[in-house]
Amino acid sequence: MQKETPAGVKLIGCFYIFGAVVLLLTLGIKQDFEFNIRFGVPGIPEIIVRLSIIVLSLIMAYGYLKLEKWGYWIMILYSIVFLIISLNQVSVYKSQPFIGNVIFSLIVIIYTFTKREFFANKAKEISAV
């Protein structure tokens, strides 16, 4: 019997889907901090960074919402990398959106880690069948 997906997992997963859709709809709009700067890769064109984030976010959210073990690990790794990048950017810019990104990354890492048994149980259910 499969357990109900935790509300926080649904919220985080839906947030990443919403973010990907917003990024897609705002491809031509200039922002204060371009995404290649936000992700610490100023040498890569912003459009490539944005499209990569859109694709990664959708794949990651799908696996996360389906309680797949790979979705768990991609979310944890992405959040850790984004946390490190954001901490570095806070030291340079000392402003939003980087401070908010640090806080959000920490929340996602901590919450996801506390719900790890939901992802492990999904793998056990599949092997038991």
Side-chain angles (χ1 to χ4, degrees):
M1 182 171 166
Q2 187 162 340
K3 292 183 178 180
E4 177 73 20
T5 303
V9 169
K10 288 179 184 176
L11 182 66
I12 292 168
C14 289
F15 179 79
Y16 276 98
I17 292 170
F18 176 74
V21 170
V22 168
L23 277 178
L24 186 61
L25 295 175
T26 61
L27 277 177
I29 298 173
K30 187 84 169 154
Q31 298 187 0
D32 291 340
F33 292 102
E34 294 180 348
F35 277 81
N36 54 347
I37 302 297
R38 287 185 197 190
F39 281 83
V41 287
I44 299 175
E46 183 187 12
I47 188 73
I48 293 173
V49 174
R50 277 183 171 233
L51 291 174
S52 299
I53 293 168
I54 290 168
V55 170
L56 178 63
S57 293
L58 292 174
I59 293 169
M60 180 174 61
Y62 174 81
Y64 192 70
L65 288 169
K66 294 292 186 180
L67 300 176
E68 299 289 344
K69 196 152 192 98
W70 60 265
Y72 169 85
W73 283 110
I74 291 175
M75 183 64 75
I76 291 287
L77 292 173
Y78 176 87
S79 296
I80 289 170
V81 168
F82 196 51
L83 172 67
I84 292 167
I85 291 168
S86 297
L87 283 170
N88 181 53
Q89 300 297 38
V90 164
S91 69
V92 173
Y93 296 104
K94 297 179 183 27
S95 68
Q96 275 291 21
F98 307 112
I99 296 168
N101 293 344
V102 167
I103 294 167
F104 183 73
S105 293
L106 285 171
I107 291 169
V108 170
I109 292 166
I110 293 167
Y111 181 81
T112 300
F113 183 74
T114 64
K115 299 301 178 189
R116 67 189 176 279
E117 71 274 0
F118 285 88
F119 298 91
N121 287 340
K122 169 89 184 223
K124 288 179 187 174
E125 288 173 14
I126 291 171
S127 64
V129 173

mmCIF file of all heavy atoms in Angstrom, residues 24-45:
data_model
loop_
_atom_site.group_PDB
_atom_site.id
_atom_site.type_symbol
_atom_site.label_atom_id
_atom_site.label_comp_id
_atom_site.label_asym_id
_atom_site.label_seq_id
_atom_site.Cartn_x
_atom_site.Cartn_y
_atom_site.Cartn_z
ATOM 1 N N LEU A 24 9.688 29.947 -18.334
ATOM 2 C CA LEU A 24 9.361 29.771 -19.749
ATOM 3 C C LEU A 24 8.593 30.976 -20.291
ATOM 4 O O LEU A 24 8.877 31.481 -21.384
ATOM 5 C CB LEU A 24 8.547 28.493 -19.937
ATOM 6 C CG LEU A 24 8.243 28.075 -21.360
ATOM 7 C CD1 LEU A 24 9.528 27.811 -22.132
ATOM 8 C CD2 LEU A 24 7.366 26.829 -21.367
ATOM 9 N N LEU A 25 7.626 31.463 -19.519
ATOM 10 C CA LEU A 25 6.805 32.594 -19.961
ATOM 11 C C LEU A 25 7.555 33.928 -19.956
ATOM 12 O O LEU A 25 7.119 34.881 -20.599
ATOM 13 C CB LEU A 25 5.555 32.702 -19.082
ATOM 14 C CG LEU A 25 4.569 31.533 -19.181
ATOM 15 C CD1 LEU A 25 3.441 31.699 -18.173
ATOM 16 C CD2 LEU A 25 4.026 31.397 -20.598
ATOM 17 N N THR A 26 8.659 33.999 -19.232
ATOM 18 C CA THR A 26 9.410 35.260 -19.129
ATOM 19 C C THR A 26 10.766 35.190 -19.824
ATOM 20 O O THR A 26 11.678 35.929 -19.466
ATOM 21 C CB THR A 26 9.610 35.650 -17.642
ATOM 22 O OG1 THR A 26 10.362 34.619 -16.987
ATOM 23 C CG2 THR A 26 8.298 35.873 -16.943
ATOM 24 N N LEU A 27 10.877 34.330 -20.831
ATOM 25 C CA LEU A 27 12.166 34.166 -21.507
ATOM 26 C C LEU A 27 12.708 35.468 -22.093
ATOM 27 O O LEU A 27 13.901 35.691 -22.084
ATOM 28 C CB LEU A 27 12.065 33.104 -22.606
ATOM 29 C CG LEU A 27 12.209 31.670 -22.147
ATOM 30 C CD1 LEU A 27 12.029 30.710 -23.313
ATOM 31 C CD2 LEU A 27 13.532 31.425 -21.476
ATOM 32 N N GLY A 28 11.878 36.347 -22.583
ATOM 33 C CA GLY A 28 12.366 37.566 -23.214
ATOM 34 C C GLY A 28 12.442 38.774 -22.288
ATOM 35 O O GLY A 28 12.779 39.868 -22.734
ATOM 36 N N ILE A 29 12.164 38.592 -21.010
ATOM 37 C CA ILE A 29 12.107 39.722 -20.083
ATOM 38 C C ILE A 29 13.435 39.854 -19.342
ATOM 39 O O ILE A 29 13.939 38.900 -18.765
ATOM 40 C CB ILE A 29 10.940 39.558 -19.079
ATOM 41 C CG1 ILE A 29 9.617 39.546 -19.844
ATOM 42 C CG2 ILE A 29 10.966 40.647 -18.026
ATOM 43 C CD1 ILE A 29 8.408 39.239 -19.002
ATOM 44 N N LYS A 30 13.981 41.054 -19.368
ATOM 45 C CA LYS A 30 15.250 41.357 -18.690
ATOM 46 C C LYS A 30 15.010 41.505 -17.191
ATOM 47 O O LYS A 30 14.026 42.095 -16.769
ATOM 48 C CB LYS A 30 15.814 42.658 -19.268
ATOM 49 C CG LYS A 30 17.179 43.010 -18.797
ATOM 50 C CD LYS A 30 18.205 42.298 -19.619
ATOM 51 C CE LYS A 30 19.577 42.898 -19.295
ATOM 52 N NZ LYS A 30 20.618 41.976 -19.517
ATOM 53 N N GLN A 31 15.933 40.968 -16.371
ATOM 54 C CA GLN A 31 15.832 41.061 -14.918
ATOM 55 C C GLN A 31 17.057 41.736 -14.347
ATOM 56 O O GLN A 31 18.084 41.866 -15.017
ATOM 57 C CB GLN A 31 15.674 39.672 -14.314
ATOM 58 C CG GLN A 31 14.416 38.985 -14.762
ATOM 59 C CD GLN A 31 14.192 37.682 -14.025
ATOM 60 O OE1 GLN A 31 14.971 37.292 -13.182
ATOM 61 N NE2 GLN A 31 13.102 37.023 -14.343
ATOM 62 N N ASP A 32 16.955 42.167 -13.084
ATOM 63 C CA ASP A 32 18.090 42.824 -12.426
ATOM 64 C C ASP A 32 19.312 41.909 -12.381
ATOM 65 O O ASP A 32 20.418 42.324 -12.692
ATOM 66 C CB ASP A 32 17.716 43.247 -10.997
ATOM 67 C CG ASP A 32 16.702 44.368 -10.972
ATOM 68 O OD1 ASP A 32 16.564 45.073 -11.994
ATOM 69 O OD2 ASP A 32 16.042 44.545 -9.928
ATOM 70 N N PHE A 33 19.102 40.676 -11.964
ATOM 71 C CA PHE A 33 20.172 39.688 -11.931
ATOM 72 C C PHE A 33 19.813 38.574 -12.895
ATOM 73 O O PHE A 33 18.867 37.824 -12.665
ATOM 74 C CB PHE A 33 20.340 39.102 -10.517
ATOM 75 C CG PHE A 33 20.864 40.074 -9.509
ATOM 76 C CD1 PHE A 33 20.013 40.670 -8.600
ATOM 77 C CD2 PHE A 33 22.208 40.397 -9.466
ATOM 78 C CE1 PHE A 33 20.482 41.565 -7.658
ATOM 79 C CE2 PHE A 33 22.691 41.297 -8.533
ATOM 80 C CZ PHE A 33 21.821 41.880 -7.627
ATOM 81 N N GLU A 34 20.565 38.465 -13.981
ATOM 82 C CA GLU A 34 20.299 37.423 -14.957
ATOM 83 C C GLU A 34 20.577 36.054 -14.336
ATOM 84 O O GLU A 34 21.349 35.934 -13.385
ATOM 85 C CB GLU A 34 21.155 37.636 -16.202
ATOM 86 C CG GLU A 34 20.785 38.903 -16.956
ATOM 87 C CD GLU A 34 21.629 39.111 -18.200
ATOM 88 O OE1 GLU A 34 22.646 38.403 -18.373
ATOM 89 O OE2 GLU A 34 21.269 39.987 -18.989
ATOM 90 N N PHE A 35 19.970 35.023 -14.880
ATOM 91 C CA PHE A 35 20.082 33.692 -14.295
ATOM 92 C C PHE A 35 21.485 33.120 -14.387
ATOM 93 O O PHE A 35 21.895 32.339 -13.537
ATOM 94 C CB PHE A 35 19.057 32.744 -14.920
ATOM 95 C CG PHE A 35 17.721 32.869 -14.271
ATOM 96 C CD1 PHE A 35 16.861 33.896 -14.619
ATOM 97 C CD2 PHE A 35 17.349 32.003 -13.271
ATOM 98 C CE1 PHE A 35 15.638 34.042 -14.002
ATOM 99 C CE2 PHE A 35 16.131 32.146 -12.637
ATOM 100 C CZ PHE A 35 15.269 33.168 -13.002
ATOM 101 N N ASN A 36 22.232 33.487 -15.396
ATOM 102 C CA ASN A 36 23.609 33.010 -15.457
ATOM 103 C C ASN A 36 24.435 33.609 -14.310
ATOM 104 O O ASN A 36 25.337 32.962 -13.790
ATOM 105 C CB ASN A 36 24.239 33.270 -16.819
ATOM 106 C CG ASN A 36 24.149 34.713 -17.259
ATOM 107 O OD1 ASN A 36 23.425 35.521 -16.684
ATOM 108 N ND2 ASN A 36 24.863 35.041 -18.311
ATOM 109 N N ILE A 37 24.097 34.836 -13.876
ATOM 110 C CA ILE A 37 24.751 35.446 -12.720
ATOM 111 C C ILE A 37 24.271 34.770 -11.435
ATOM 112 O O ILE A 37 25.066 34.441 -10.554
ATOM 113 C CB ILE A 37 24.458 36.971 -12.650
ATOM 114 C CG1 ILE A 37 24.909 37.682 -13.926
ATOM 115 C CG2 ILE A 37 25.076 37.589 -11.407
ATOM 116 C CD1 ILE A 37 26.377 37.628 -14.203
ATOM 117 N N ARG A 38 22.965 34.544 -11.316
ATOM 118 C CA ARG A 38 22.402 33.898 -10.117
ATOM 119 C C ARG A 38 23.000 32.528 -9.877
ATOM 120 O O ARG A 38 23.161 32.101 -8.744
ATOM 121 C CB ARG A 38 20.883 33.738 -10.245
ATOM 122 C CG ARG A 38 20.134 35.007 -10.104
ATOM 123 C CD ARG A 38 18.653 34.739 -10.130
ATOM 124 N NE ARG A 38 17.948 35.985 -10.406
ATOM 125 C CZ ARG A 38 16.656 36.131 -10.312
ATOM 126 N NH1 ARG A 38 15.907 35.105 -9.961
ATOM 127 N NH2 ARG A 38 16.093 37.275 -10.570
ATOM 128 N N PHE A 39 23.301 31.814 -10.952
ATOM 129 C CA PHE A 39 23.836 30.473 -10.808
ATOM 130 C C PHE A 39 25.354 30.432 -10.892
ATOM 131 O O PHE A 39 25.946 29.357 -10.923
ATOM 132 C CB PHE A 39 23.200 29.538 -11.836
ATOM 133 C CG PHE A 39 21.832 29.089 -11.440
ATOM 134 C CD1 PHE A 39 20.727 29.886 -11.682
ATOM 135 C CD2 PHE A 39 21.651 27.885 -10.785
ATOM 136 C CE1 PHE A 39 19.465 29.488 -11.282
ATOM 137 C CE2 PHE A 39 20.396 27.470 -10.393
ATOM 138 C CZ PHE A 39 19.297 28.277 -10.633
ATOM 139 N N GLY A 40 25.979 31.603 -10.896
ATOM 140 C CA GLY A 40 27.429 31.673 -10.825
ATOM 141 C C GLY A 40 28.150 31.226 -12.081
ATOM 142 O O GLY A 40 29.298 30.788 -12.012
ATOM 143 N N VAL A 41 27.481 31.340 -13.233
ATOM 144 C CA VAL A 41 28.111 30.968 -14.500
ATOM 145 C C VAL A 41 27.953 32.106 -15.513
ATOM 146 O O VAL A 41 27.267 31.961 -16.527
ATOM 147 C CB VAL A 41 27.532 29.638 -15.054
ATOM 148 C CG1 VAL A 41 28.015 28.460 -14.256
ATOM 149 C CG2 VAL A 41 26.014 29.674 -15.098
ATOM 150 N N PRO A 42 28.602 33.250 -15.254
ATOM 151 C CA PRO A 42 28.417 34.402 -16.140
ATOM 152 C C PRO A 42 28.907 34.178 -17.564
ATOM 153 O O PRO A 42 28.486 34.875 -18.482
ATOM 154 C CB PRO A 42 29.211 35.511 -15.449
ATOM 155 C CG PRO A 42 30.193 34.809 -14.582
ATOM 156 C CD PRO A 42 29.541 33.522 -14.170
ATOM 157 N N GLY A 43 29.746 33.182 -17.782
ATOM 158 C CA GLY A 43 30.272 32.909 -19.115
ATOM 159 C C GLY A 43 29.308 32.158 -20.023
ATOM 160 O O GLY A 43 29.529 32.074 -21.226
ATOM 161 N N ILE A 44 28.248 31.616 -19.461
ATOM 162 C CA ILE A 44 27.264 30.876 -20.256
ATOM 163 C C ILE A 44 26.098 31.814 -20.558
ATOM 164 O O ILE A 44 25.612 32.500 -19.662
ATOM 165 C CB ILE A 44 26.764 29.629 -19.491
ATOM 166 C CG1 ILE A 44 27.934 28.690 -19.192
ATOM 167 C CG2 ILE A 44 25.686 28.903 -20.289
ATOM 168 C CD1 ILE A 44 27.566 27.493 -18.346
ATOM 169 N N PRO A 45 25.638 31.861 -21.811
ATOM 170 C CA PRO A 45 24.511 32.751 -22.148
ATOM 171 C C PRO A 45 23.283 32.469 -21.278
ATOM 172 O O PRO A 45 22.986 31.310 -20.966
ATOM 173 C CB PRO A 45 24.233 32.431 -23.619
ATOM 174 C CG PRO A 45 25.507 31.861 -24.143
ATOM 175 C CD PRO A 45 26.141 31.145 -22.983
#
